[in-house]
């Protein structure tokens, strides 16, 4: 098996847990946040900088790499790790979310999905088998089964048909997958309907995947609804395999996800808001363009030891964004990723020391809660 999960410690107060995911490209300490390198790059940063920040694993996007530069070119280059000069684990999503988010530009059938490229409008077709073959060509450490990500809101009937198709597609992905040094994870769907999540969890976990993801969340539903789904879905997932919550990356969602027993997370949020001049700090969000920072010569976050906070003031960072200098985007990206990766590290330590609940309350007391 290409990926194996080792449970180290379970929280005595919550379902939070610390573990290790052993992979051909190194060991991942969990719970872990995976920075997103959509197009084989974490935007504005070099691989060395991403490592220095503390990233153990990154995510790349199958849909985007299939369209440009093409999976066969990446295979020819020696695979994604060599192509982008990253020697640690890489997870590739199946492309399903991007395809399904295209809305009227795509058509779903039992065979797969026909869609139009967002780049040039050209028509493409991806089946579960092709999504699997593309990821094998990319050579990622962890590949994802091709699923149908139902929108929010959607009817019970739609969510049920969607999850049942996802199960059928998962079986086809498993049959198509034969790369020994790559793990293929299955995805649980079912929207916000408890019996559908239970049905999907039973069907997907019955298949021989080395890890499982919860999909179809963080797609517009209120956060309390997401936490409710986690409350009854995570216990249905095997304890001896990694659990991955897809597309979640705000500090409060990471803390709640960990408290429910999730091991792996990814999201574009920290890098996207960084490029808009918004920082995650121990005291909450900071919007650097605000005039209040014009003569503030203190660091972005006095409790942060990242490169940005050690060397630059809020006044200077605001100047960079107002002047549209690229360095501002880089410095904010460094800070936001460092902040989240350090948050995960602190959560791991709190679980090991049996003080996770106290840590959670201390964090919220400073950062605040966002229940939107």
């Amino acid at each position: 098996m290409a990926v194996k999960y080792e449970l180290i410690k379970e929280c005595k107060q919550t379902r939070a847990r610390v573990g290790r995911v052993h992979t051909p490209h190194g060991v991942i300490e969990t719970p872990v946040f995976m920075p997103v390198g959509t197009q084989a790059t974490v935007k504005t940063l070099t691989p060395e900088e991403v490592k220095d920040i503390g990233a153990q694993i990154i995510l790349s996007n199958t849909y985007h790499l299939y369209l440009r530069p093409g999976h066969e070119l990446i295979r020819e280059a020696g695979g994604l790790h060599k192509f982008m000069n990253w020697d640690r684990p890489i997870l590739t999503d199946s492309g399903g979310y991007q395809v399904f988010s295209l809305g009227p530009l795509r058509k779903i059938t039992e065979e797969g999905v026909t869609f139009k490229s967002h780049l040039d409008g050209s028509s493409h077709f991806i089946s579960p088998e092709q999504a699997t073959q593309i990821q094998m060509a990319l050579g990622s450490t962890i590949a994802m089964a091709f699923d149908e990500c139902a929108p929010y809101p959607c009817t019970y009937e739609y969510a049920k048909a969607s999850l049942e198709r996802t199960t059928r597609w998962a079986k086809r992905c498993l049959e198509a997958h034969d790369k020994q040094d790559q793990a293929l994870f299955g995805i649980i769907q079912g929207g916000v309907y408890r019996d559908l999540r239970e049905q999907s969890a039973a069907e997907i976990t019955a298949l021989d995947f080395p890890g499982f993801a919860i999909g179809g969340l963080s797609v517009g539903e209120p956060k309390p609804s997401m936490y409710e789904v986690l409350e009854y879905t995570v216990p249905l997932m095997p304890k001896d395999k990694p659990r991955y919550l897809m597309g979640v990356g705000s500090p409060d969602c990471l803390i709640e996800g960990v408290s429910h027993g999730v091991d792996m997370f990814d999201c574009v949020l920290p890098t996207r808001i960084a490029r808009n001049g918004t920082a995650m700090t121990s005291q909450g969000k900071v919007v650097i363009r605000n005039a209040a920072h014009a003569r503030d010569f203190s660091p972005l976050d006095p409790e942060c030891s990242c490169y940005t906070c050690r060397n630059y003031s809020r006044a200077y960072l605001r100047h960079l964004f107002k002047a549209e200098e690229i360095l501002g985007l880089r410095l904010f990206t460094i800070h936001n990723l460092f902040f989240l990766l350090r948050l995960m590290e602190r959560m791991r330590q709190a679980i090991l020391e049996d003080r996770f609940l106290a840590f959670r309350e201390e964090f919220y007391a400073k950062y605040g809660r966002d229940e939107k």
Side-chain angles (χ1 to χ4, degrees):
M1 189 174 287
V3 162
K4 185 171 175 56
Y5 178 77
E6 175 191 5
L7 178 62
I8 304 298
K9 171 94 173 183
E10 288 184 286
C11 175
K12 293 177 180 177
Q13 304 159 315
T14 67
R15 293 181 185 144
R17 61 190 202 159
V18 168
R20 294 191 187 104
V21 180
H22 297 266
T23 85
H25 297 103
V27 177
I28 306 162
E29 304 283 344
T30 64
V32 66
F33 177 77
M34 301 180 282
V36 176
T38 301
Q39 305 198 71
T41 174
V42 176
K43 284 185 176 23
T44 78
L45 303 185
T46 67
E48 291 74 21
E49 287 169 326
V50 178
K51 283 184 187 178
D52 288 345
I53 292 164
Q56 305 180 68
I57 172 174
I58 60 173
L59 179 144
S60 282
N61 185 268
T62 298
Y63 166 84
H64 288 282
L65 295 176
Y66 159 76
L67 290 177
R68 182 176 56 191
H71 56 290
E72 290 300 343
L73 184 147
I74 292 174
R75 189 208 301 268
E76 190 181 328
L80 196 50
H81 288 87
K82 192 171 181 182
F83 187 57
M84 67 179 293
N85 189 33
W86 178 261
D87 59 4
R88 294 181 181 179
I90 299 174
L91 183 147
T92 45
D93 60 11
S94 69
Y97 177 79
Q98 282 70 28
V99 166
F100 295 113
S101 66
L102 291 170
L105 296 177
R106 52 96 174 124
K107 180 184 178 185
I108 307 168
T109 65
E110 188 62 27
E111 280 308 301
V113 183
T114 303
F115 64 96
K116 291 188 183 299
S117 164
H118 72 288
L119 296 174
D120 60 10
S122 57
S123 186
H124 299 265
F125 173 80
I126 291 185
S127 66
E129 291 81 4
Q130 285 168 298
T132 305
Q133 288 157 5
I134 291 166
Q135 291 180 88
M136 287 194 290
L138 295 175
S140 54
T141 314
I142 300 171
M144 300 303 298
F146 195 58
D147 64 325
E148 180 177 353
C149 183
Y152 177 87
C154 71
T155 64
Y156 180 91
E157 291 71 25
Y158 187 102
K160 183 174 176 63
S162 173
L163 86 84
E164 289 172 350
R165 178 179 285 128
T166 290
T167 299
R168 294 191 295 272
W169 283 1
K171 294 174 182 176
R172 288 166 59 184
C173 289
L174 273 174
E175 289 172 9
H177 189 265
D178 60 5
K179 188 170 172 55
Q180 297 303 310
D181 61 347
Q182 181 186 63
L184 179 69
F185 283 16
I187 304 176
I188 296 166
Q189 289 288 350
V192 292
Y193 303 101
R194 180 167 185 164
D195 63 323
L196 297 186
R197 285 285 176 181
E198 290 170 346
Q199 177 186 341
S200 183
E203 292 174 358
I204 296 296
T205 61
L207 302 175
D208 191 25
F209 290 107
F212 298 95
I214 301 170
L217 290 179
S218 196
V219 291
E221 79 284 355
K223 288 182 180 180
S225 297
M226 176 172 71
Y227 301 153
E228 184 182 348
V229 172
L230 294 178
E231 182 69 29
Y232 56 69
T233 303
V234 176
L236 305 176
M237 303 168 76
K239 290 184 70 172
D240 62 346
K241 293 182 178 181
R243 303 161 173 168
Y244 167 27
L245 176 57
M246 308 180 79
V248 165
S250 64
D252 53 332
C253 287
L254 292 175
I255 288 174
E256 295 308 310
V258 168
S259 72
H260 283 90
V262 176
D263 306 305
M264 302 170 68
F265 306 84
D266 82 279
C267 194
V268 298
L269 180 70
T271 48
R272 179 173 288 165
I273 67 172
R275 298 193 300 277
N276 293 326
T278 300
M280 299 171 174
T281 78
S282 56
Q283 284 82 38
K285 286 182 184 175
V286 170
V287 180
I288 203 65
R289 294 179 187 273
N290 290 352
H293 306 300
R295 284 179 167 78
D296 187 342
F297 303 110
S298 63
L300 205 46
D301 185 347
E303 296 184 18
C304 181
S305 60
C306 78
Y307 173 79
T308 303
C309 291
R310 290 198 319 269
N311 292 285
Y312 304 102
S313 69
R314 293 185 179 199
Y316 178 67
L317 293 167
R318 181 176 185 272
H319 157 68
L320 292 178
F321 274 90
K322 297 292 281 186
E324 299 185 348
E325 285 289 344
I326 293 170
L327 181 59
L329 282 61
R330 283 173 40 73
L331 293 176
F332 262 57
T333 301
I334 286 170
H335 168 79
N336 278 356
L337 288 180
F338 183 94
F339 178 82
L340 284 192
L341 294 169
R342 178 75 179 114
L343 175 63
M344 304 309 291
E345 183 185 324
R346 290 164 64 202
M347 281 197 272
R348 292 195 295 269
Q349 196 61 36
I351 296 165
L352 290 171
E353 296 172 1
D354 289 316
R355 55 177 181 84
F356 179 74
L357 269 186
F359 169 82
R360 185 170 81 169
E361 290 312 309
E362 287 166 13
F363 181 87
Y364 282 141
K366 284 186 181 179
Y367 191 88
R369 294 175 187 262
D370 181 6
E371 295 296 335
K372 291 178 184 175

